[in-house]
Amino acid sequence: MPQAASPSETRWQRLVRSLLYGRGVDRRVKAKARLGLAIVAFAGIYAAIALRLVIFAEQSEWHGAHRTVSQDAVATARPDILDRKGRILATDVKAPSLYAEPRKLIDADEAEELLTATMPDLESKELRERLTSKRGFVWLKREITPKQEQEIHRLGIPGIGFLSENKRVYPNGPTVSQVIGLVNIDNQGIAGMEKWLDGQGLAALHMAGLASDRLQRPVQLSLDLRAQYALRDELAKAREKFKAKASAGVILNVNTGEIVALVSEPDYDPNNPREANDPSRINRMTTGVFEMGSTFKVLTVAMALDSGKATLRSTFDASHPLHYGRFAIHDYEPKGRALSVPEIFTFSSNIGAARMALAVGVEGHKAFLKKMGQLDRLRTELPESAEPLVPKHWGELNTVTIAFGHGLSVAPLQAAMGVAATVNGGLLIRPTFLKRSEAQAMRIARRVLKAETSRDMRYLLRLNAEKGTGTFANVDGYYVGGKTGTAEKVVNGHYAKHKLLTDFMAILPADKPKYLVLILLDEPQAVPGTHGFATAGWNAGPTAGKVIARVAPLLDLEPRFALPKSDQLILANAVSSR
Amino acid sequence: MRYLHILVIGALILAASFVYKIKFDSTLQAEQVAKLHGELRRERNAVATLRAEWAKLDTPSRIQALADRHLDLKPVKPRQFANFDDLPMRPLEVVPPLSGDPISAMLRLSAPETTGSLPAPTAAPR
């Protein structure tokens, strides 16, 4: 009997049993109980569905948050670029960008109207095209201001959103532009050190979507921002004063090869990339090649001294112009007699330099310039570089002209590297834009000259600043040495008398050189105060002097006074050892 | 037997509530971590912005323009650098011991000095 419940059954079980199965139970009660059970079951199912919905909602929100994080990386984060003392040359800041998802737009016309009302610089036609396209995602405007972001946010247009992107800023404007280069709107380097950075694996990181992190190590350059600015300021003044087409300059540490400052003016503001494409704003120090003029005599004399074909006491005949076929080599100020090596250098005698080169011979000359890195493209970290223009058939005439800096076009930085090797003890060190210690430099340095030759060259350069063509660059207290160079530019295959390129190579201090300063002026004019001259001694030389006076204190060079003349200070050891 | 059951069930409930608490705490912590990460990122961005702004304000061209406009300072000449070794001893300034007010006498002695940018005082107007 069902009712006769076994004692092991609990009261609850008994109740359920009697309600569901018992015959004696009232049918209405039974129906009610079944209904109740169904209600409970369905309520459970609905509760499960509701719960699941809540979870879905939560999850999709979480997905959204995740997406914005990854979209932070749309424009690559780049490491900061610092100067040698840690001052910022380039850095990233976050800037919002405006985008639309056209498929989610409800009313494209309304959106367009509202947007153009708040941001009048948006092109209405282009905007409409973008908003009505069938694509899932379109940029409307990159890098808007926070204020604009606020205003558009308040419009509340569905399908319009913001992404925060990395924006590259150059706080120093055009001051370092020729070295740093710039980036495009996607924060990829397109010139200068920025492009070099991309070549260092940053581009690959970007591809992998890993370059969103700010924790990348900053890159420290060899530049000194203050020296760079001083150089640029003086070059800009010089360009204006001498009405030159362009001016350029470099300060090179001769013992490490570090480039402390490099300017090529006119330059551009990397915050405004449109200027950068103007061909007159190229970097003349590395991308241009020039006939350097008489500064090349430094290399010629160093070659003659190093080969043993000449000593400081040798003399060379400069009494008559040198004739080669229909060419005649003249001196700027003919002396009409034999000149000693120091005289050739300080008078800047073309004939003397040519004779010195001829004494070494064509093959020797060529091999020497090759050794000094003047015949091959100089590669630094900058992606832009230029191949020197070397004569195809190098005959005696070529040797004669190249001896005084015509007929071979090199990048000015390249010439600076060669001259640095003649004064730093005879070591050729490839220039760099990255910080480098002296020990690191020694590892890559190549001995190209004897130490004695280098000492003689220091003497000659100092002598030239004491009583030669470089007197205008002689800044009291810094023991400057230097050599001028004036080259006529080639126009339509002929040398043009009044289109000059003037340059000046200065070393300081000459007894123990630390820095080389190269100043270059493109087509300077004779102006009041230069007595009708436009040669280097009147423009590039004084400019170098001004630069040195301003930059030397910044580079921690101590001024020294009452130093003896060059023949006593620099050659003293030589005399005592002989 | 019954006590054992009760004990086990009690332990079960205890363990469950404990696990729940741990889970809840960890969720809370994870949220906290996410929040801090976000805050960190915001702060870093703010720092970057401020550093950029500082660099912009500190750029030499701006400083020079400001200095030209507001200061009488001139570039230092090489002759104006000196070593400590070059400095002579400061000449002894003696205050007469029996003057009425020794402090004011001392103040009068340390009149402004002439430097490269501070010109020598011109004669007092009559």
Side-chain angles (χ1 to χ4, degrees):
Chain A
M1 283 200 304
Q3 274 98 339
S6 57
S8 65
E9 266 183 346
T10 62
R11 283 174 75 182
W12 168 249
Q13 277 175 328
R14 231 174 15 237
L15 180 72
V16 171
R17 250 173 70 90
S18 63
L19 279 174
L20 293 180
Y21 312 111
R23 284 218 180 124
V25 182
D26 189 347
R27 283 177 64 97
R28 279 173 56 199
V29 177
K30 215 153 63 175
K32 228 178 178 176
R34 285 178 179 167
L35 206 65
L37 202 68
I39 286 171
V40 167
F42 275 102
I45 289 166
Y46 278 114
I49 289 172
L51 202 76
R52 192 81 189 112
L53 273 177
V54 169
I55 289 169
F56 258 126
E58 283 240 74
Q59 256 181 1
S60 71
E61 199 177 326
W62 188 79
H63 271 303
H66 194 70
R67 199 184 61 186
T68 53
V69 168
S70 68
Q71 278 176 349
D72 261 356
V74 174
T76 336
R78 305 180 66 84
D80 289 357
I81 301 180
L82 309 177
D83 86 338
R84 64 182 303 122
K85 302 227 170 101
R87 301 183 197 102
I88 295 173
L89 302 180
T91 187
D92 274 353
V93 294
K94 294 276 178 185
S97 285
L98 183 67
Y99 72 89
E101 290 170 286
R103 280 188 213 143
K104 288 194 187 166
L105 273 178
I106 296 168
D107 187 349
D109 291 335
E110 189 205 0
E112 184 233 314
E113 257 170 50
L114 285 170
L115 283 175
T116 44
T118 35
M119 292 210 301
D121 55 331
L122 275 177
E123 183 119 8
S124 149
K125 207 175 119 197
E126 204 187 316
L127 182 63
R128 180 180 297 266
E129 237 165 61
R130 285 188 188 177
L131 288 179
T132 51
S133 70
K134 288 276 170 286
R135 283 155 60 197
F137 180 96
V138 282
W139 285 117
L140 297 183
K141 187 156 169 61
R142 307 287 284 269
E143 286 159 16
I144 59 177
T145 64
K147 196 168 158 256
Q148 286 174 320
E149 184 189 7
Q150 270 296 323
E151 282 172 4
I152 294 168
H153 185 74
R154 277 207 205 104
L155 295 177
I157 313 170
I160 302 278
F162 307 96
L163 286 179
S164 96
E165 281 195 292
N166 286 309
K167 183 186 183 211
R168 198 68 163 161
V169 290
Y170 302 93
N172 298 299
T175 307
V176 272
S177 57
Q178 299 284 15
V179 176
I180 297 267
L182 73 169
V183 295
N184 63 9
I185 190 82
D186 287 320
N187 248 10
Q188 287 155 329
I190 51 175
M193 291 304 283
E194 293 277 26
K195 192 167 179 186
W196 173 82
L197 266 181
D198 277 17
Q200 297 300 298
L202 185 68
L205 267 182
H206 183 214
M207 287 294 182
L210 293 174
S212 64
D213 204 347
R214 212 174 252 299
L215 298 172
Q216 300 174 72
R217 277 164 54 114
V219 176
Q220 196 155 34
L221 302 190
S222 59
L223 295 182
D224 183 295
L225 177 61
R226 299 208 172 138
Q228 170 86 10
Y229 174 73
L231 177 64
R232 180 172 182 273
D233 195 41
E234 290 301 334
L235 283 172
K237 279 185 201 157
R239 183 161 79 92
E240 200 173 313
K241 180 173 176 193
F242 300 111
K243 302 189 179 66
K245 252 172 64 178
S247 57
V250 66
I251 301 174
L252 182 73
N253 184 328
V254 296
N255 299 318
T256 63
E258 288 173 294
I259 294 163
V260 177
L262 186 145
V263 175
S264 173
E265 235 250 335
D267 45 21
Y268 55 88
D269 186 350
N271 296 309
N272 176 15
R274 242 166 295 164
E275 285 177 2
N277 292 329
D278 183 351
S280 74
R281 296 175 199 272
I282 63 157
N283 185 345
R284 286 170 167 77
M285 274 294 153
T286 59
T287 326
V289 290
F290 302 95
E291 296 178 317
M292 294 299 287
S294 308
T295 39
F296 240 66
K297 284 176 194 154
V298 176
L299 298 181
T300 310
V301 173
M303 169 180 70
L305 292 177
D306 202 55
S307 69
K309 294 280 195 308
T311 66
L312 286 180
R313 297 191 189 112
S314 317
T315 54
F316 290 86
D317 178 29
S319 51
H320 304 290
L322 204 58
H323 286 281
Y324 262 91
R326 58 193 179 86
F327 295 99
I329 312 301
H330 296 278
D331 272 355
Y332 194 67
E333 290 169 67
K335 299 287 179 215
R337 60 180 170 89
L339 299 174
S340 69
V341 169
E343 281 175 325
I344 289 173
F345 198 75
T346 49
F347 297 153
S348 197
S349 163
N350 293 342
I351 305 169
R355 289 220 189 271
M356 288 177 92
L358 286 174
V360 176
V362 173
E363 282 316 309
H365 192 201
K366 212 168 156 177
F368 178 78
L369 289 180
K370 180 100 183 160
K371 188 169 71 175
M372 299 298 278
Q374 302 300 307
L375 304 185
D376 301 302
R377 184 190 289 248
L378 169 67
R379 291 193 189 280
T380 59
E381 288 82 12
L382 289 191
E384 304 90 5
S385 66
E387 188 96 33
L389 297 178
V390 184
K392 282 212 181 63
H393 308 287
W394 188 316
E396 253 185 10
L397 179 62
N398 297 95
T399 281
V400 164
T401 59
I402 291 170
F404 55 86
H406 285 72
L408 172 67
S409 299
V410 297
L413 186 60
Q414 196 165 15
M417 170 180 76
V419 173
T422 67
V423 297
N424 68 2
L427 300 171
L428 190 75
I429 305 168
R430 200 164 55 88
T432 179
F433 288 93
L434 298 176
K435 223 173 167 181
R436 181 151 79 192
S437 71
E438 214 154 309
Q440 283 170 318
M442 284 308 119
R443 242 172 282 144
I444 59 156
R446 204 150 43 81
R447 176 158 292 284
V448 288
L449 292 171
K450 297 185 199 106
E452 297 85 63
T453 313
S454 175
R455 185 200 56 224
D456 290 347
M457 291 314 298
R458 293 201 286 267
Y459 161 68
L460 288 175
L461 282 161
R462 173 60 192 165
L463 187 71
N464 194 39
E466 279 170 6
K467 57 183 185 186
T469 50
T471 44
F472 279 115
N474 189 8
V475 182
D476 200 19
Y478 293 113
Y479 214 67
V480 179
K483 180 80 191 83
T484 53
T486 306
E488 288 166 8
K489 284 176 58 169
V490 178
V491 178
N492 300 330
H494 293 283
Y495 283 106
K497 265 259 174 285
H498 295 290
K499 282 193 188 287
L500 300 179
L501 181 105
T502 66
D503 55 332
F504 193 87
M505 293 263 192
I507 55 165
L508 68 155
D511 56 328
K512 204 172 181 325
K514 266 193 96 169
Y515 294 101
L516 180 145
V517 178
L518 164 61
I519 301 292
L520 186 127
L521 292 171
D522 193 356
E523 294 185 25
Q525 311 293 321
V527 295
T530 66
H531 308 284
F533 293 107
T535 47
W538 292 97
N539 43 50
T543 307
K546 279 185 190 159
V547 169
I548 289 167
R550 230 176 121 171
V551 163
L554 298 177
L555 298 178
D556 297 335
L557 287 176
E558 184 193 352
R560 297 170 302 164
F561 296 95
L563 288 178
K565 291 271 182 220
S566 50
D567 45 344
Q568 290 157 33
L569 187 66
I570 302 175
L571 287 185
N573 301 343
V575 174
S576 63
S577 66
R578 261 178 209 164
Chain B
M1 201 60 177
R2 179 185 266 175
Y3 287 116
L4 188 70
H5 279 163
I6 290 172
L7 210 73
V8 166
I9 289 167
L12 196 74
I13 290 168
L14 220 71
S17 60
F18 189 61
V19 166
Y20 176 77
K21 193 179 164 316
I22 287 179
K23 176 98 169 54
F24 188 76
D25 278 355
S26 78
T27 313
L28 214 69
Q29 300 273 349
E31 263 172 32
Q32 198 82 24
V33 165
K35 216 171 101 186
L36 284 177
H37 268 303
E39 218 163 288
L40 219 68
R41 243 186 40 211
R42 257 201 312 283
E43 288 292 329
R44 262 201 210 112
N45 289 341
V47 167
T49 313
L50 286 175
R51 267 162 56 92
E53 204 170 321
W54 174 41
K56 194 152 197 162
L57 294 176
D58 195 36
T59 187
S61 51
R62 180 174 173 276
I63 300 289
Q64 175 165 326
L66 288 176
D68 284 349
R69 201 179 322 148
H70 299 295
L71 296 177
D72 296 331
L73 297 177
K74 293 192 179 66
V76 187
K77 295 187 189 79
R79 288 270 175 200
Q80 289 173 314
F81 288 94
N83 269 327
F84 278 114
D85 303 338
D86 301 342
L87 282 180
M89 291 302 286
R90 191 182 174 117
L92 208 60
E93 286 163 352
V94 185
V95 179
L98 289 174
S99 58
D101 185 357
I103 292 173
S104 80
M106 253 192 272
L107 282 176
R108 234 175 291 130
L109 275 175
S110 56
E113 281 156 52
T114 310
T115 67
S117 51
L118 274 179
T122 46
R126 261 171 264 173

